[in-house]
Amino acid sequence: MKKFRKVLDGLTTSSPVNVGGAPLSSSTAGTPTAAPTPREIEVQETLVSENFQICKTVRHGFPYQPTTLAFDPVQKILAIGSRTGGVRILGRPGVDCYCQHESGAAVLQLQFLINEGALVTACADDTLHLWNLRQKRPAILHSLKFNRERITFCHLPFQSKWLYVGTERGNTHIVNIESFVLSGYVIMWNKAIELSTKTHPGPVVHLSDSPKDEGRLLIGFESGTVVQWDLRVKKADFRIYYDEAIHSVSWHHEGKQFMCSHSDGSLTVWNLRNTSKPFQVTFPHGKPQRDGKKPESCKPILKVEYKTTRNSEPFVIFSGGLSYDKAGRRPTLTIMHGKAITVLEMDHPIVDFIVLCETPYPNEVQEPYAVVVLLEKDLIVLDLTQSSFPIFENPYPMDIHESPVTCTAYFADCPPDLIPVLYSIGAKHKKQGYSHKEWPVSGGTWTLGTQTYPEIIITGHADGSIKFWDATAITLQMLYKLKTSKVFEKPKVGEGRGAELVEEDPYAVQMVSWCPQSRIFCVVGISAHVILYRFSKHDATTEIVSLEVRLQCEVEDTITPSDADANTGLSDSSSHLHQHPPGSPGSANTEGVRDSIPCLRVKNRPVRMPPGYQAELVVQLLWVDGEPPQQITSLDVNSAYGLMALGNCNGLVVVDYLQKSILLCMSTLELYGSNDPYQRLTRSPRRSRQLTSGLTELSDNQVTLDLERSRSPTSVLHPTSLHNDPRTMHEPVANLKASHYSPVFYLLDNVRGPGRKLSLPTDLKTDLDHVNGHCTSPTSQPCVAGKPRVPGPEGPRLSRRGPGRPPFRKAQSAACMEINLPVSHTEGYASRRAMLQQLHGVSMYSHDEHHTTVYSWSERESRENSFSRSRSSSVSSIDRETKEAVTTLQFMESYGRKTDALPSPCLWVGTSLGAALVIALSVPTDEEDRLDEPVTVSPCATVLMLKGSVLRFGSLTCGGALIPSPYEVWRDPHASEDPDRLRRRKLVNFSPSSSQEAAGDGHLAVVCSERQAKVFLMPAQTCLFVHNITESSFVLRADVVSVCNSVCLACFCANGHIMTLSLPSLRPLLDVNYLPLTDMRIARTFCFTNRGQALYLSSPTEIQRITYSQEMCDNLQEMLGDLFTPVETPEAQNRGFLKGFFGGNAQTFDREELFGEAAAGKASRSLAQHIPGQGGMEGMKAAAGGVVGDLARARIALDERGQRLGELEERTALMMSSAELFSKHAHELMLKCKDKKWYQF
């Protein structure tokens, strides 16, 4: 059987389909081969494998699923722990560090070693870790794993090296921070409580030493028991038993009383003079009852802070405690200051909060000045010094997820004037009412660094908003926000289509295309629309032009060549420019079938637009005979030509945005003309429209299970026979031009029937409403594969997708895709289809097979594993589709035909069947003619073939230099110009003919698909180099990027490998298994850019930036901020002679005498296991074994040693000055008292 398959494969390879003139399968995976060429191309390639290295640089955004926070009051840095084992450490802007526990266990608690440059983390796997913060990339120095106890609470007293650890059993252990070993001193729960107590007190929920005496430890148990333990005599001073469970405890700074918060919403104050009953019991939000009864119970108060001030009443700050009858109220933080009670409602649940005070000493007046509140999805800081408690303006980009992120784009080395311009425009729309004080988290140091260049990140969101971010020098700051929804009329409830759209996300951004030089910006929306924006520094009132395109080209409606010529490429000229508003009589026929209406209604009146990006043109795809428009899968815009191209699974549209006209609208099949390399059958309209599907519908037509069983998910190459069932159709495929628009994988799971409502979450939660793709929408109906529903009385089209269904689904953000894949497939997925089958349980669009299959859910489970490994390509080559999607587009100066002598404007079109087509454009060169004369579009005979769906194009000179696309220099469309000076367009053209080579030399075209990369010599169309990138997986993202003053092809595969290939020879330079694809979020948002950088959405709320450049890895230490800066610890206040004499001062004691090995002995070895930390850096790990790694290690060691020596010098000088001062005071006292008699004292 294997031999037979090989024979078929050989026949397939040798079939006469190779229009590009190159062997399609002439090389094995990972081996570049050179085909014979008419002349040798000599290119001096400078890139070598030593130029590349993968390294994480920085993470931006709000920590996903936060659990706890801590603050160092001397260093003024903040740490946030998360449920996934991450720790985020923040200081002044630019000081932002992310650490990750390898175990991935949730972080339960954080404890800073105040002003020591260290942090203790307690994780849910009962392990304590000590992090060294004195290096730019913190590392674990020690770990301690508890084997028989579950950690519940930790407390580290100020300036102490002994950490108290409370456990679930109620015991308290003590850990030496320096050696990270357990002390033999243990406070057992049965010793802490009275022997007569019959019940277990529960887990330890609080530990703190008395501000008055460090030798006394206050232990709070969950059941309501509080014990003060005398560490010296090893017995309890007092025990408190309260009926309600305790959640937190907070001391008064004098150490004479403390406050507890309880599960019934009460606060109790206990005085140490009388612990038999609480000194005070209050229900801050409870309704007082008549007859002096106890108020009704309220919700638990989860945390309370009791802070004193010198000049006013103390602050009591707590979270929770609302009465149960106030259902639906948002989470609150309550601030009680004297008799004033302020209740602050939060947008999200409160995870934790901490009060920032002036002093680190617990026995001094605290003087609180701010409250840091950690919410589930936000971080806010309140100013306590003002009565209105305003919030501080957050300098960190914590609002990336304000609306779920649906796409990303990354642009390095932008024009330098862009960032100031965008910032000046965006600054006018900033919110007001912030505190005027400086951001209180101001620790660490950060400098701009020497190697910086302008970088911009663009994020698209589910609500239709676009955010521009300044990403220069590993920072992130929002520049400008654009709302695309303002272009459209708001849907009104109860008004036809509007009633269906209210609960959806019709404006969700699917992809963006941006030309930084001309500032032309295009946005593709989920409702099959494209908005073109121009940038202006002046406001304007203009009318937005709307073009409506009827793009539903079926094979049976193919235009004849004569018709195409007569209509200039339009299948029906009247079907493209519809002026009747949606909902008018022209929008539906007498049977109620939607036809020739867009999904959204563009504002048809003059609109006032503020400075910034202003909408100029909207292109919308229309409903056709009850069928909604397919979502747009590819887009490109070129400002020099004044053209925009967009494609989907139905075909291609070319728009002249200067003349506001449509130049071309035809199916992909029509682009081939007579050069179609595939034999296709036309589809039967009757059969295609009678076949229906319900819940699992993925296309307009179904294919039987028997046919699907005979298909291979790995190949679509070289058909040698006709379809067994030509009714199958292709799914839309994502555009993957990473440098221009966010690769969203065609967004929203890309199910081909956007007429289904799928209520997917946009609140950034990972639990999808549809489990593994199961739609739970009430409008969907299940359908067993092979058993189509019976059409209703409205007709066959209405039975499939009636007017009651909106033409899109609720936008599922890239952030929401948190679907785990089976880890058993170590080699990755054999195809994109295999991965999506595993992810969603149904066949979706596919880049390499392009089959559309419908399974019933009962059959899905038994078939999903069959797609996880490669099958023979010979079987699938028998089946061929009649439709193919446009997957990528690029305008460039090229050669449309082999006979062309000079380059001209061209549009390169990549399809889902691996075809690269070239369309010649005739653009008038004269300024006046360009606005009057029509642009002609003529598909050529050029068809180049590759394995898998085409992802990316690139253009190089014959010398190997990158040829950028031509562009128009930006000019303000609304600027007041001198009337005597003509407003002419200034074009910048990088044509191959303008380079150093002769005009007849041509250029090199780089074409990359899911599995293969090829370099063609144009105009000869000769394949010079071929490289099979992968056979066991497939490429998700690919881009031609500039690195180290040269050019390479960067690829990200579904099996997690990041690869770079030299150009034009396609030599492998880098292949690192960096990131296994565990969820679709990474696939949707991963994008490369120049200078060796890339990014992806690492969680629903965070952006992870990485570099694949060795040069940047070497300079990363210089770019990162320092978390620790040498700061002198403030001195304790001198409280005076009388207070000290009468016991007012805190008593100190030597913990070493009590907890050391000499006094307490050794702890049981089975209780906890010490694990020495690696103490290295992530970047150092990546460079381990190399000279660079050794140098980096040595440099960091020298830095740390120098830092320690500097600190030692400072401390020595401080001690010397203190000794001199003491000597001086002693001498003065001696002189003063030497002549006095004893009775004079």
Side-chain angles (χ1 to χ4, degrees):
M1 186 62 188
K2 289 183 179 178
K3 291 182 179 178
F4 177 68
R5 287 182 177 176
K6 287 183 178 179
V7 170
L8 279 182
D9 289 342
L11 288 173
T12 302
T13 304
S14 61
S15 59
V17 184
N18 187 4
V19 183
L24 295 175
S25 300
S26 59
S27 63
T28 57
T31 306
T33 59
T37 60
R39 61 184 183 84
E40 290 297 327
I41 300 294
E42 293 185 5
V43 178
Q44 187 67 34
E45 295 183 355
T46 59
L47 290 179
V48 292
S49 57
E50 286 74 18
N51 294 126
F52 297 93
Q53 180 186 331
I54 298 292
C55 181
K56 291 182 180 178
T57 54
V58 68
R59 181 173 292 208
H60 303 296
F62 180 75
Y64 183 54
Q65 294 181 330
T67 54
T68 184
L69 81 164
F71 183 72
D72 187 326
V74 179
Q75 287 290 319
K76 295 191 182 300
I77 57 175
L78 185 74
I80 302 173
S82 72
R83 199 177 302 171
T84 55
V87 179
R88 192 78 167 277
I89 305 172
L90 303 168
R92 66 175 68 248
V95 179
D96 188 340
C97 181
Y98 175 78
C99 315
Q100 175 67 43
H101 293 92
E102 290 185 3
S103 64
V107 179
L108 301 179
Q109 199 174 350
L110 299 167
Q111 286 280 321
F112 275 106
L113 277 66
I114 296 176
N115 204 27
E116 295 292 333
L119 175 70
V120 175
T121 58
C123 296
D125 60 351
D126 306 308
T127 307
L128 298 173
H129 303 275
L130 178 65
W131 292 81
N132 178 19
L133 306 184
R134 292 178 178 246
Q135 56 191 52
K136 294 191 175 184
R137 290 239 165 155
I140 294 177
L141 296 175
H142 301 282
S143 297
L144 189 65
K145 169 73 175 174
F146 281 76
N147 298 321
R148 297 181 299 181
E149 298 263 31
R150 304 296 306 272
I151 299 172
T152 57
F153 196 86
C154 299
H155 170 63
L156 181 65
F158 178 48
Q159 294 181 325
S160 168
K161 68 175 184 178
W162 298 94
L163 174 72
Y164 301 114
V165 181
T167 67
E168 194 174 46
R169 293 184 180 178
N171 304 323
T172 302
H173 300 275
I174 301 169
V175 178
N176 186 317
I177 291 297
E178 292 178 349
S179 60
F180 233 61
V181 295
L182 275 177
S183 166
Y185 193 114
V186 184
I187 305 173
M188 305 300 290
W189 68 270
N190 53 355
K191 299 284 183 67
I193 64 172
E194 291 179 344
L195 295 177
S196 59
T197 306
K198 297 181 180 180
T199 58
H200 191 278
V204 175
V205 296
H206 178 80
L207 292 169
S208 62
D209 49 350
S210 169
K212 189 177 180 180
D213 184 359
E214 293 177 350
R216 289 177 163 82
L217 183 68
L218 193 70
I219 307 173
F221 298 93
E222 189 180 56
S223 63
T225 302
V226 180
V227 177
Q228 180 167 291
W229 184 263
D230 192 324
L231 295 168
R232 299 183 187 87
V233 298
K234 300 182 181 180
K235 68 175 185 180
D237 287 338
F238 62 81
R239 299 179 178 91
I240 294 172
Y241 299 97
Y242 195 66
D243 296 336
E244 297 294 335
I246 290 176
H247 286 281
S248 70
V249 181
S250 183
W251 279 99
H252 188 280
H253 81 275
E254 292 180 349
K256 297 178 181 178
Q257 61 183 19
F258 59 88
M259 181 179 291
C260 301
S261 68
H262 300 278
S263 57
D264 64 346
S266 65
L267 295 173
T268 57
V269 179
W270 300 85
N271 198 315
L272 299 192
R273 293 182 180 178
N274 181 14
T275 56
S276 60
K277 63 178 182 178
F279 174 74
Q280 185 181 7
V281 180
T282 58
F283 287 80
H285 297 297
K287 293 181 179 179
Q289 301 290 321
R290 296 178 180 177
D291 305 328
K293 292 182 180 179
K294 180 183 176 181
E296 292 181 359
S297 293
C298 298
K299 296 177 183 178
I301 295 179
L302 302 178
K303 185 174 182 179
V304 64
E305 292 272 13
Y306 189 16
K307 302 298 179 183
T308 53
T309 60
R310 286 189 181 86
N311 302 321
S312 61
E313 296 290 325
F315 281 91
V316 177
I317 303 170
F318 61 89
S319 61
L322 291 179
S323 59
Y324 282 102
D325 61 350
K326 295 179 180 177
R329 281 195 60 176
R330 293 189 290 181
T332 60
L333 183 80
T334 304
I335 301 176
M336 299 171 62
H337 189 209
K339 295 182 179 179
I341 300 178
T342 305
V343 180
L344 303 173
E345 289 191 341
M346 303 295 168
D347 292 332
H348 309 287
I350 298 173
V351 175
D352 197 1
F353 72 90
I354 190 167
V355 180
L356 309 188
C357 301
E358 296 286 354
T359 176
Y361 295 93
N363 59 346
E364 294 181 357
V365 179
Q366 298 297 288
E367 292 292 342
Y369 61 90
V371 184
V372 181
V373 186
L374 179 64
L375 307 178
E376 268 191 7
K377 297 174 185 176
D378 203 359
L379 177 74
I380 63 172
V381 181
L382 302 169
D383 186 355
L384 290 181
T385 60
Q386 300 182 43
S387 58
S388 59
F389 306 128
I391 65 172
F392 289 88
E393 184 176 6
N394 197 328
Y396 316 124
M398 293 291 185
D399 57 346
I400 291 175
H401 62 287
E402 183 180 15
S403 174
V405 178
T406 53
C407 74
T408 57
Y410 192 6
F411 300 86
D413 225 353
C414 298
D417 59 335
L418 261 180
I419 290 178
V421 168
L422 288 171
Y423 181 79
S424 63
I425 297 295
K428 300 175 183 177
H429 305 287
K430 280 194 173 182
K431 296 178 181 178
Q432 304 296 324
Y434 293 112
S435 172
H436 299 295
K437 294 195 173 182
E438 290 187 2
W439 180 252
V441 185
S442 56
T445 56
W446 179 75
T447 55
L448 194 60
T450 56
Q451 294 189 346
T452 59
Y453 42 86
E455 300 174 72
I456 291 179
I457 293 174
I458 300 176
T459 55
H461 301 266
D463 63 354
S465 61
I466 304 282
K467 291 181 181 178
F468 291 77
W469 305 85
D470 177 11
T472 305
I474 70 169
T475 61
L476 196 70
Q477 183 179 7
M478 196 171 84
L479 296 171
Y480 175 69
K481 183 177 180 180
L482 174 67
K483 295 182 179 179
T484 62
S485 58
K486 292 187 175 180
V487 173
F488 303 99
E489 299 283 1
K490 290 183 179 179
K492 297 180 181 178
V493 179
E495 182 189 279
R497 294 175 307 150
E500 304 152 10
L501 310 186
V502 171
E503 298 178 356
E504 306 294 333
D505 289 318
Y507 312 113
V509 178
Q510 184 175 334
M511 65 180 74
V512 297
S513 179
W514 188 42
C515 177
Q517 290 80 11
S518 64
R519 303 185 189 177
I520 294 289
F521 186 57
C522 290
V523 180
V524 175
I526 196 70
S527 301
H529 65 267
V530 181
I531 310 173
L532 185 137
Y533 290 89
R534 284 185 184 270
F535 187 84
S536 175
K537 296 180 180 179
H538 308 276
D539 57 0
T541 302
T542 57
E543 193 165 340
I544 302 170
V545 179
S546 175
L547 296 178
E548 298 176 352
V549 183
R550 188 182 177 94
L551 184 60
Q552 193 80 10
C553 302
E554 297 187 2
V555 179
E556 61 265 24
D557 301 326
T558 302
I559 313 165
T560 62
S562 59
D563 292 336
D565 294 338
N567 293 326
T568 321
L570 302 181
S571 58
D572 182 1
S573 59
S574 63
S575 66
H576 297 283
L577 300 170
H578 297 274
Q579 300 301 326
H580 55 74
S584 66
S587 64
N589 61 22
T590 55
E591 296 180 356
V593 177
R594 291 187 182 178
D595 186 50
S596 301
I597 60 170
C599 301
L600 300 173
R601 182 187 301 172
V602 180
K603 293 179 179 177
N604 56 3
R605 61 184 184 278
V607 180
R608 185 190 174 278
M609 301 179 191
Y613 273 104
Q614 300 168 351
E616 181 178 289
L617 175 68
V618 179
V619 179
Q620 291 180 287
L621 303 186
L622 300 175
W623 284 69
V624 178
D625 296 332
E627 293 292 325
Q630 298 303 311
Q631 294 173 11
I632 297 166
T633 58
S634 54
L635 175 76
D636 195 26
V637 63
N638 188 279
S639 57
Y641 305 156
L643 301 179
M644 176 174 66
L646 56 102
N648 65 3
C649 65
N650 284 328
L652 173 70
V653 177
V654 180
V655 178
D656 185 341
Y657 67 79
L658 294 178
Q659 296 186 18
K660 309 296 188 296
S661 62
I662 297 172
L663 304 177
L664 179 79
C665 177
M666 61 170 58
S667 68
T668 318
L669 176 61
E670 294 169 317
L671 296 176
Y672 289 102
S674 60
N675 295 288
D676 188 0
Y678 304 120
Q679 293 177 321
R680 318 185 197 226
L681 287 181
T682 57
R683 200 171 40 167
S684 168
R686 178 177 301 174
R687 293 190 66 187
S688 69
R689 292 175 184 176
Q690 286 177 348
L691 282 169
T692 58
S693 60
L695 176 64
T696 58
E697 180 189 39
L698 297 177
S699 74
D700 288 345
N701 311 99
Q702 295 186 14
V703 68
T704 62
L705 284 173
D706 294 334
L707 175 61
E708 180 59 32
R709 291 190 185 102
S710 68
R711 291 188 174 178
S712 163
T714 60
S715 177
V716 296
L717 291 176
H718 330 308
T720 57
S721 64
L722 304 180
H723 295 281
N724 286 356
D725 187 342
R727 294 170 289 137
T728 55
M729 299 172 66
H730 301 299
E731 292 304 312
V733 184
N735 180 18
L736 294 143
K737 187 176 176 184
S739 65
H740 280 281
Y741 27 83
S742 169
V744 282
F745 237 68
Y746 184 54
L747 194 67
L748 323 182
D749 298 348
N750 245 337
V751 180
R752 217 199 122 232
R756 262 153 279 94
K757 275 189 180 180
L758 289 187
S759 300
L760 295 176
T762 54
D763 60 349
L764 302 176
K765 293 184 179 178
T766 58
D767 43 311
L768 300 176
D769 289 351
H770 66 305
V771 181
N772 285 341
H774 297 244
C775 170
T776 57
S777 168
T779 61
S780 301
Q781 301 177 20
C783 174
V784 179
K787 297 180 181 180
R789 293 197 304 258
V790 179
E794 295 92 344
R797 287 188 184 274
L798 287 177
S799 67
R800 201 165 67 252
R801 207 180 268 110
R805 300 187 183 183
F808 44 79
R809 311 175 342 166
K810 185 167 183 177
Q812 178 178 343
S813 69
C816 294
M817 295 308 299
E818 190 74 25
I819 307 172
N820 294 323
L821 299 182
V823 295
S824 58
H825 306 298
T826 56
E827 294 300 319
Y829 289 85
S831 68
R832 177 176 281 104
R833 179 170 182 211
M835 179 186 66
L836 296 177
Q837 177 69 17
Q838 292 284 0
L839 282 176
H840 305 285
V842 291
S843 289
M844 304 239 201
Y845 68 98
S846 152
H847 280 209
D848 51 354
E849 294 80 34
H850 320 289
H851 304 317
T852 312
T853 311
V854 180
Y855 290 114
S856 65
W857 293 112
S858 60
E859 293 168 306
R860 175 188 62 83
E861 210 168 314
S862 63
R863 304 195 61 82
E864 62 181 1
N865 292 329
S866 65
F867 290 94
S868 62
R869 54 183 62 88
S870 174
R871 290 187 249 166
S872 169
S873 62
S874 59
V875 180
S876 70
S877 64
I878 298 174
D879 307 313
R880 191 50 53 199
E881 312 296 338
T882 38
K883 291 178 68 176
E884 58 185 305
V886 176
T887 56
T888 184
L889 296 164
Q890 184 165 342
F891 289 101
M892 67 171 79
E893 292 284 318
S894 185
Y895 300 85
R897 299 169 182 84
K898 289 184 178 182
T899 57
D900 288 352
L902 294 174
S904 61
C906 292
L907 172 64
W908 283 64
V909 181
T911 74
S912 55
L913 292 187
L917 303 98
V918 183
I919 297 177
L921 309 170
S922 177
V923 182
T925 55
D926 188 78
E927 176 79 14
E928 297 178 358
D929 293 344
R930 178 62 187 88
L931 298 177
D932 300 327
E933 296 293 326
V935 176
T936 57
V937 181
S938 54
C940 306
T942 303
V943 182
L944 310 174
M945 297 303 303
L946 287 85
K947 290 181 182 178
S949 182
V950 180
L951 305 182
R952 188 72 172 95
F953 295 119
S955 180
L956 307 177
T957 66
C958 291
L962 181 66
I963 305 176
S965 296
Y967 62 86
E968 175 192 0
V969 177
W970 175 77
R971 57 176 183 173
D972 198 326
H974 301 298
S976 53
E977 292 284 343
D978 186 355
D980 297 334
R981 197 178 75 181
L982 293 175
R983 288 174 53 85
R984 300 189 63 84
R985 300 172 69 223
K986 184 179 178 182
L987 306 182
V988 178
N989 195 340
F990 299 94
S991 171
S993 61
S994 63
S995 60
Q996 296 178 357
E997 286 80 19
D1001 282 357
H1003 74 100
L1004 303 179
V1006 182
V1007 187
C1008 183
S1009 72
E1010 291 177 325
R1011 299 182 183 276
Q1012 199 175 49
K1014 289 188 177 183
V1015 176
F1016 295 92
L1017 175 63
M1018 304 298 289
Q1021 301 176 16
T1022 306
C1023 182
L1024 300 181
F1025 300 97
V1026 183
H1027 181 77
N1028 290 344
I1029 300 172
T1030 176
E1031 291 292 345
S1032 61
S1033 183
F1034 52 90
V1035 179
L1036 290 168
R1037 296 291 174 265
D1039 208 345
V1040 178
V1041 292
S1042 298
V1043 182
C1044 300
N1045 299 318
S1046 190
V1047 186
C1048 70
L1049 177 65
C1051 304
F1052 174 56
C1053 295
N1055 58 7
H1057 284 248
I1058 293 179
M1059 306 178 186
T1060 59
L1061 306 174
S1062 68
L1063 288 176
S1065 66
L1066 298 177
R1067 287 181 299 109
L1069 299 173
L1070 174 74
D1071 187 352
V1072 176
N1073 187 6
Y1074 168 73
L1075 185 74
L1077 184 63
T1078 54
D1079 54 64
M1080 289 292 294
R1081 183 195 324 110
I1082 298 170
R1084 294 168 188 272
T1085 57
F1086 196 102
C1087 50
F1088 292 101
T1089 189
N1090 295 327
R1091 300 282 192 129
Q1093 296 205 68
L1095 65 78
Y1096 59 92
L1097 212 65
S1098 58
S1099 76
T1101 61
E1102 296 168 288
I1103 290 176
Q1104 178 68 58
R1105 291 165 67 180
I1106 65 172
T1107 180
Y1108 49 95
S1109 165
Q1110 179 68 60
E1111 182 183 6
M1112 187 166 183
C1113 288
D1114 295 340
N1115 297 324
L1116 191 57
Q1117 285 295 313
E1118 179 190 349
M1119 300 170 68
L1120 295 173
D1122 288 291
L1123 294 172
F1124 179 79
T1125 53
V1127 178
E1128 185 177 339
T1129 303
E1131 293 185 4
Q1133 296 177 1
N1134 184 6
R1135 304 187 64 188
F1137 173 77
L1138 291 177
K1139 284 191 176 181
F1141 186 79
F1142 290 106
N1145 272 337
Q1147 298 181 24
T1148 59
F1149 76 109
D1150 189 356
R1151 293 184 175 89
E1152 184 69 33
E1153 290 183 2
L1154 290 175
F1155 306 145
E1157 188 176 330
K1162 291 184 178 180
S1164 171
R1165 289 186 177 181
S1166 62
L1167 184 60
Q1169 176 188 1
H1170 176 258
I1171 305 169
Q1174 297 178 354
M1177 296 172 49
E1178 187 176 4
M1180 193 183 294
K1181 290 177 189 174
V1187 178
V1188 176
D1190 295 336
L1191 288 173
R1193 250 186 238 103
R1195 185 172 63 184
I1196 293 164
L1198 284 173
D1199 288 346
E1200 288 193 3
R1201 185 169 179 270
Q1203 209 172 52
R1204 293 194 192 100
L1205 287 174
E1207 288 178 35
L1208 188 62
E1209 253 185 89
E1210 289 176 7
R1211 290 185 181 179
T1212 305
L1214 188 65
M1215 289 174 64
M1216 287 179 63
S1217 63
S1218 178
E1220 288 177 3
L1221 189 65
F1222 179 77
S1223 173
K1224 180 182 176 183
H1225 286 318
H1227 185 68
E1228 289 176 356
L1229 187 63
M1230 183 268 294
L1231 293 175
K1232 183 178 179 181
C1233 300
K1234 70 175 183 176
D1235 296 329
K1236 291 186 178 181
K1237 304 296 183 183
W1238 64 270
Y1239 53 81
Q1240 291 178 318
F1241 286 96

